Amino acid sequence: GENVEQHPSTLSVQEGDSAVIKCTYSDSASNYFPWYKQELGKRPQLIIDIRSNVGEKKDQRIAVTLNKTAKHFSLHITETQPEDSAVYFCAGVSGGGADGLTFGKGTHLIIQP
Amino acid sequence: NAGVTQTPKFQVLKTGQSMTLQCAQDMNHEYMSWYRQDPGMGLRLIHYSVGAGITDQGEVPNGYNVSRSTTEDFPLRLLSAAPSQTSVYFCASSYSLLNYGYTFGSGTRLTVV
């Protein structure tokens, strides 16, 4: 099955700076990579996703890049704001998808005022 | 349209007791799954279903049973609760196996004493 590694586990940035979270995956057949944001005590919510036929996708201050050759993908948040503080999870779909999403262990993003 | 509804939100069980966590969705999603979330472990798949009458095991299925008699409902049963099952449980659903983000329920915080 799929194995997803996520780094760093904690990331602290100054408000207004950029944040980058990186994930690697093991299954070369994986073709869908979503990112979820989880605020304290809340459910994970999808914030952006990318498919394997696309190298980059942007949505306002959030972007995701995918390098299929190296089997890694990254989340980029620009002009960080206090409301960006949360735990972020990357995920990949293994094989034919029946095994569902395999999640990374999460990154706690802290925005310092 | 309520999305994914989980009940109860909180539960305390004694070791050896059994209980059922309820999950229902009203989006006509074929794919449903149960995850548990533990500190530092991310989200781990317990069981999943690709449609009514079809279920399968995920990464950590021991001690749990599921059934899918209708498209809408996917209950998770704890057969004989153990302290190791203390966790936050999330139900999630998706339109399709591949290339679609999950919608998560609000979670059930379970404590086994």
Side-chain angles (χ1 to χ4, degrees), chain B residues 27-105:
Chain B
M27 298 173 286
N28 203 31
H29 284 175
E30 288 296 323
Y31 186 85
M32 297 186 73
S33 54
W34 278 100
Y35 284 84
R36 60 177 288 173
Q37 184 174 32
D38 302 292
M41 300 296 291
L43 292 148
R44 293 182 293 169
L45 182 64
I46 305 172
H47 284 286
Y48 63 92
S49 169
V50 300
I54 305 169
T55 63
D56 209 340
Q57 298 180 351
E59 179 185 355
V60 288
N62 292 341
Y64 308 96
N65 270 356
V66 292
S67 60
R68 184 96 178 269
S69 56
T70 66
T71 299
E72 294 77 21
D73 299 299
F74 191 45
L76 177 73
R77 281 182 287 277
L78 279 70
L79 309 173
S80 177
S84 61
Q85 293 179 304
T86 294
S87 187
V88 179
Y89 292 84
F90 287 100
C91 177
S93 72
S94 175
Y95 175 74
S96 171
L97 284 174
L98 298 172
N99 296 329
Y100 285 91
Y102 287 2
T103 299
F104 281 86

Side-chain angles (χ1 to χ4, degrees), chain A residues 31-32 34 36 38 41-46 49 51 89 93-106, chain B residues 2 4 31 35 37 40-45 48 50 57 59 90 97-107 109:
Chain A
N31 58 5
Y32 175 64
Y36 288 83
Q38 187 178 30
K42 302 287 182 65
R43 73 191 78 188
Q45 292 198 303
L46 179 70
D49 56 16
R51 290 159 175 75
F89 293 96
V93 174
S94 59
D99 292 343
L101 292 176
T102 299
F103 287 85
K105 288 183 168 48
Chain B
V4 179
Y31 186 85
Y35 284 84
Q37 184 174 32
M41 300 296 291
L43 292 148
R44 293 182 293 169
L45 182 64
Y48 63 92
V50 300
Q57 298 180 351
E59 179 185 355
F90 287 100
L97 284 174
L98 298 172
N99 296 329
Y100 285 91
Y102 287 2
T103 299
F104 281 86
S106 57
R109 184 173 293 276

Side-chain angles (χ1 to χ4, degrees), chain A:
Chain A
E2 178 66 281
N3 182 44
V4 177
E5 300 280 343
Q6 183 172 348
H7 300 280
S9 57
T10 304
L11 178 60
S12 181
V13 302
Q14 291 293 122
E15 183 178 347
D17 287 351
S18 295
V20 180
I21 303 169
K22 299 180 180 179
C23 289
T24 60
Y25 61 97
S26 61
D27 187 351
S28 57
S30 290
N31 58 5
Y32 175 64
F33 305 94
W35 285 89
Y36 288 83
K37 175 183 180 182
Q38 187 178 30
E39 296 175 351
L40 187 62
K42 302 287 182 65
R43 73 191 78 188
Q45 292 198 303
L46 179 70
I47 56 172
I48 195 167
D49 56 16
I50 191 167
R51 290 159 175 75
S52 59
N53 59 345
V54 175
E56 183 177 6
K57 182 177 179 180
K58 289 184 179 180
D59 183 3
Q60 299 182 333
R61 297 187 295 108
I62 294 173
V64 56
T65 58
L66 172 64
N67 184 326
K68 284 201 69 180
T69 302
K71 291 194 284 188
H72 67 71
F73 56 111
S74 300
L75 178 71
H76 305 254
I77 305 174
T78 59
E79 301 173 9
T80 53
Q81 300 171 2
E83 55 264 36
D84 295 329
S85 293
V87 179
Y88 291 81
F89 293 96
C90 63
V93 174
S94 59
D99 292 343
L101 292 176
T102 299
F103 287 85
K105 288 183 168 48
T107 296
H108 185 194
L109 177 62
I110 301 166
I111 307 301
Q112 302 279 6

